[in-house]
Amino acid sequence: MCAISSVANSFLQNQQCLKLTRRSASTEVAQLASAGGLVGFWQTLSNSTPVAYMQDAVTQIHDYSGLPWWASIVLSTFIFRSAVTLPLTIYQHKITARLEKITMEMPAIVEELKREAAIAKQKFKWSEKHTQIIFRRSIKKQWQKLIVRDNCHPMKTIIVLWGQMPLWIFQSVALRNLVYMLPDPTTLKAQIIATELTIGGFGWIPNLTVVDSSYILPVALGLINLGIIELQSMSRARKPTRLQNNATNVFRVLSIVMVPVACTVPSALCVYWVASSSFGLAQNLLLLSPEVRRAVGIPKTETELQQPYAQIWHKIQERAYIAEVPAKPSDKTAAK
């Protein structure tokens, strides 16, 4: 009797959660409708073919693995990122390394072109302005030849963005659909999945259809994203440009902004976002290793860190004022 009563109570609680989930979905749709054209965009994205495939893939991983929903979300995240973003990131590192190598070839080429331009100026009686035009045109032509030779167009350095952003959006919308029983809340499959999500959590978030009221996952998300940005900043061998500093600051702000956003979405989305960011952090740490870089075919460059983990740890200590910061030559001179 106690067991039956427990099952009955669990069933009633799940039905209550389903009603609340439907009410939340209706409220969200109503809010989107008041936003005018935004509802059309969300409906189109929610009903799109890529989202449907992603939704089905996540469901299949859960069914075949037999894992609870939170673990299925983490597993699917690692699978998709390993299949899509990891190869693209390795390819991006290869392109960046090739670009650095041809950049090192350019000074000798520029000097040769300077000599040729000076000879041509005297021979053909060119003006200074015309000589400079021909000189710059020749440099651009030689740069293009090197890019074609090594197949490393600079636009390829943002290839990860074109793979990771759609993946992140499609999986986020797919999980949102599962939580809100979209695109058709009347189907039995959608209702079963939504019920499973209400008991498919862990620890302090047993119900994945509600927000994480403890704010543990949102704060963890912000910290991990900040960790990725700081890791990329500290792994630069050269002094960052003003543009790079501005971009770093923008991403720092976005990482902080994501925390209150994560506080308003179902925990299923938070679990996915934290898992995705954790994979990104581990991926960046792994690809700092010279051994790993050689193993995946990334060429060695002059700016590559030889002892990346020791150097990054020292930079962390410097930022925390634990290790002594080496004095600059100007500082030593001033001290004398």
Side-chain angles (χ1 to χ4, degrees), residues 271-282:
V271 170
Y272 165 58
W273 291 348
V274 170
S276 181
S277 294
S278 299
F279 186 95
L281 180 60

Side-chain angles (χ1 to χ4, degrees), residues 215-234:
Y215 306 130
I216 294 176
L217 286 179
V219 171
L221 175 65
L223 292 176
I224 294 171
N225 286 336
L226 282 174
I228 293 172
I229 295 164
E230 298 307 319
L231 177 65
Q232 292 174 342
S233 175
M234 290 185 291

Side-chain angles (χ1 to χ4, degrees), residues 176-214:
R176 173 182 172 275
N177 281 359
L178 293 177
V179 169
Y180 293 136
M181 297 177 288
L182 298 175
D184 186 3
T186 63
T187 61
L188 180 61
K189 182 179 180 180
Q191 294 176 8
I192 290 174
I193 292 174
T195 303
E196 291 175 344
L197 285 169
T198 61
I199 56 173
F202 64 94
W204 67 94
I205 46 169
N207 187 347
L208 294 177
T209 65
V210 298
V211 300
D212 180 7
S213 57
S214 68

Side-chain angles (χ1 to χ4, degrees), residues 107-128:
I109 295 174
V110 169
E111 288 301 319
E112 180 63 26
L113 291 176
K114 279 183 180 179
R115 287 193 292 267
E116 292 179 0
I119 294 171
K121 179 182 179 182
Q122 293 181 353
K123 183 176 181 180
F124 300 108
K125 308 299 181 183
W126 289 347
S127 65
E128 183 65 28

